[in-house]
Amino acid sequence: MPYRTDLAAESAALITEKLPGLTQREERFGQIGFCTVNITDQSAAEVVGKPQGEYLTISTPPFHTGLEITEDELSEIARRIADMLPKEGLVLVAGLGNNDITPDAIGPRTIHQILATRHIGAEIKEQAGLEKLRAVAALAPGVLGQTGIETSEIIGAVAGAINPKAVVVIDALAAGSTRRLGCTIQVSNTGICPGSGVMNSRKELSEQTLGLPVVSMGIPTVVDASTMAGDLLPDGEIQELRELFEPSGSAMMITPREIDSLVSHACHTLSLALNKALQPDMTLEEIGYLVS
């Protein structure tokens, strides 16, 4: 049975032998864990099942509990996100997914809390004492079923019109283990395939397709039923029970009961960290005031 996950850290953990072109590093900062996976050649990428690049997996307290991440911890997450972005220039932030389906709403609900500043002129910045304010544009393109337009087409068209230095895409992810749901953030410089977490992949958003750096950010909100069963049952049994987890051949996705609280707190945390990464000269208090 294939092991389905969007998290590079989970895929890399399955590899028990040393693999050339794959490095992993784990660190801690307060109550936050950081796992960095670097894939540097194509052969390693094929084994891991992820494109070449850097993947940062951040382990946090469960979002649904409402436990606060400290200002120092948020600032450390922001610093690591900033390391993947150009140091200056306009950044386009796009929140992928369907706002009407809670497990898929990470992207658009985070976008609602992003500090958009592209429209603020130099004179207004000077009057407000915000000369170092970075230009940011924010977009929630919806999904193909709502708009009839591929997400990649919308983001590509907007990027072509405003010429950002980089694109940040935010989306909900699928985990391979329930232990990762709602307590994990993945940040990567490899882009993303919208909908891949629920087996509905659209055209990828990456430097190859957009022609500029793409940083993806996501939080796992679902786990594939068959993958979860394979994690719980002895080898072989899942094959006999597959029909229970894939009725009529359709894959089932499982999400936590506390998904509303999880998504609310996750989007708040994600937006604060990204806003701080984009506006490092501002305090979290100032950011919170401006986006409230």
Side-chain angles (χ1 to χ4, degrees), residues 93-148:
V93 184
L96 312 185
N98 189 337
N99 190 54
D100 296 327
I101 301 176
T102 305
D104 193 36
I106 290 287
R109 295 187 189 181
T110 300
I111 284 295
H112 294 162
Q113 302 173 65
I114 293 298
L115 180 59
T117 59
R118 177 175 175 265
H119 59 294
I120 302 176
E123 184 177 344
I124 296 177
K125 289 181 183 179
E126 185 177 354
Q127 291 174 353
L130 297 172
E131 292 87 352
K132 294 184 179 180
L133 195 67
R134 185 173 192 168
V136 176
L139 171 70
V143 294
L144 180 64
Q146 296 172 320
T147 65

Side-chain angles (χ1 to χ4, degrees), residues 79 82-89 134 278 280:
R79 182 186 69 80
D83 285 344
M84 293 192 187
L85 291 168
K87 299 305 179 186
E88 56 185 28
R134 185 173 192 168
L278 294 168

Side-chain angles (χ1 to χ4, degrees), residues 184-204:
T184 305
I185 302 169
Q186 179 172 269
V187 186
S188 170
N189 61 6
T190 63
I192 196 170
C193 287
S196 61
V198 291
M199 300 170 65
N200 185 31
S201 295
R202 316 307 306 172
K203 184 179 179 181
E204 75 173 33

Side-chain angles (χ1 to χ4, degrees), residues 174-248:
S177 168
T178 55
R179 292 183 293 274
R180 286 286 187 182
L181 293 180
C183 59
T184 305
I185 302 169
Q186 179 172 269
V187 186
S188 170
N189 61 6
T190 63
I192 196 170
C193 287
S196 61
V198 291
M199 300 170 65
N200 185 31
S201 295
R202 316 307 306 172
K203 184 179 179 181
E204 75 173 33
L205 295 161
S206 66
E207 187 165 3
Q208 287 69 37
T209 61
L210 292 181
L212 68 163
V214 178
V215 172
S216 64
M217 302 176 63
I219 293 174
T221 57
V222 296
V223 61
D224 173 64
S226 294
T227 298
M228 186 183 74
D231 190 37
L232 298 174
L233 296 174
D235 291 344
E237 285 193 21
I238 182 57
Q239 296 299 334
E240 301 175 8
L241 298 175
R242 179 179 292 276
E243 290 185 5
L244 295 177
F245 299 99
E246 297 181 3
S248 303

Side-chain angles (χ1 to χ4, degrees), residues 52-68:
Q52 295 182 55
E54 179 179 349
Y55 299 83
L56 175 65
T57 303
I58 305 165
S59 300
T60 70
F63 290 118
H64 74 269
T65 64
L67 291 175
E68 293 294 333

Side-chain angles (χ1 to χ4, degrees), residues 63-82:
F63 290 118
H64 74 269
T65 64
L67 291 175
E68 293 294 333
I69 297 175
T70 69
E71 184 169 340
D72 286 344
E73 290 164 348
L74 268 170
S75 295
E76 179 64 15
I77 295 172
R79 182 186 69 80
R80 292 173 183 251
I81 295 171

